[in-house]
Amino acid sequence: MLAEAEAFALPHYAGVERFYHNAAHVRAMLDALDSRGVLTPALALAVWGHDLIYDARAGDNEERSAEVFDGWLVSQNASADLRGEIRALILATKHNAPPATRAEALLVDADLVILGAPAADFAAYDAAIRREYSHVPALLYRVGRKKVLRGFLDRGQIYTTPEFTGLEQQARWNLTGAVGRL
């Protein structure tokens, strides 16, 4: 089912307005989970489904992504249990509440892996996010982006699983620098 999920999802990630939330982001998440030996079929499906819908002007992307991906899972005759698990995983990437399960924590940490990337990779990510929000005037963008980045810095821990905690120091350095540049 994973190859089919990729085939279904790839067109969604190919939008011209996607400078960061694209197939490269999905593959980076899959690689991050796989290289740590924690990639499961359910996590892989959730990774493919988590940003299917990405509209920088909307606040319900995760809900809409979960709904679209659930429709696809129905077409694949996925069990109700798997569908419920994938939906919960996708909704965890809203980053508005602590993950409720280990699988959610792994997915959230993988979604944030870019924060702990080398400085040049983080800078490219930061520039790509700005491009996705190019419709937002500079002053408003700076205010909103600072709020988002400080939200991560204000957490006791950015990464909650042992597999990703090694990224914590670099993430804090990257985020602090980005806030300072805004």
Side-chain angles (χ1 to χ4, degrees):
M1 181 184 296
L2 292 177
E4 293 86 354
E6 179 178 355
F8 169 75
L10 277 175
H12 291 275
Y13 289 100
V16 296
E17 72 289 348
R18 290 178 179 248
F19 299 98
Y20 174 72
H21 293 93
N22 54 33
H25 167 58
V26 169
R27 288 194 172 94
M29 289 178 66
L30 292 168
D31 289 347
L33 291 163
D34 190 40
S35 67
R36 289 163 173 85
V38 293
L39 184 61
T40 64
L43 280 171
L45 288 170
V47 169
W48 279 111
H50 88 286
D51 279 334
L52 279 182
I53 307 300
Y54 190 78
D55 177 355
R57 293 173 172 84
D60 63 347
N61 291 315
E62 293 81 5
E63 290 87 349
R64 291 169 53 209
S65 293
E67 183 178 321
V68 169
F69 202 66
D70 186 61
W72 179 80
L73 287 169
V74 167
S75 77
Q76 301 299 301
N77 298 312
S79 71
D81 287 346
L82 179 62
R83 290 175 47 219
E85 179 182 7
I86 301 302
R87 178 175 192 76
L89 287 166
I90 290 171
L91 294 177
T93 65
K94 290 176 72 168
H95 303 284
N96 63 351
T101 66
R102 174 161 165 74
E104 287 179 15
L106 287 166
L107 184 65
V108 166
D109 282 358
D111 196 27
L112 300 178
V113 75
I114 190 63
L115 301 182
D121 295 338
F122 178 85
Y125 147 78
D126 207 32
I129 293 295
R130 179 60 181 122
R131 290 182 72 193
E132 288 185 347
Y133 284 86
S134 62
H135 63 279
V136 178
L139 178 62
L140 293 176
Y141 178 80
R142 284 193 302 273
V143 169
R145 186 73 174 147
K146 277 185 183 180
K147 182 179 178 184
V148 168
L149 299 179
R150 282 188 180 135
F152 290 119
L153 282 169
D154 290 344
R155 293 179 179 187
Q157 284 185 280
I158 296 168
Y159 301 100
T160 60
T161 62
E163 290 82 1
F164 288 89
T165 56
L167 300 174
E168 189 78 23
Q169 184 176 353
Q170 181 68 35
R172 290 192 177 280
W173 187 86
N174 286 337
L175 291 166
T176 300
V179 168
R181 288 185 294 278
L182 289 169

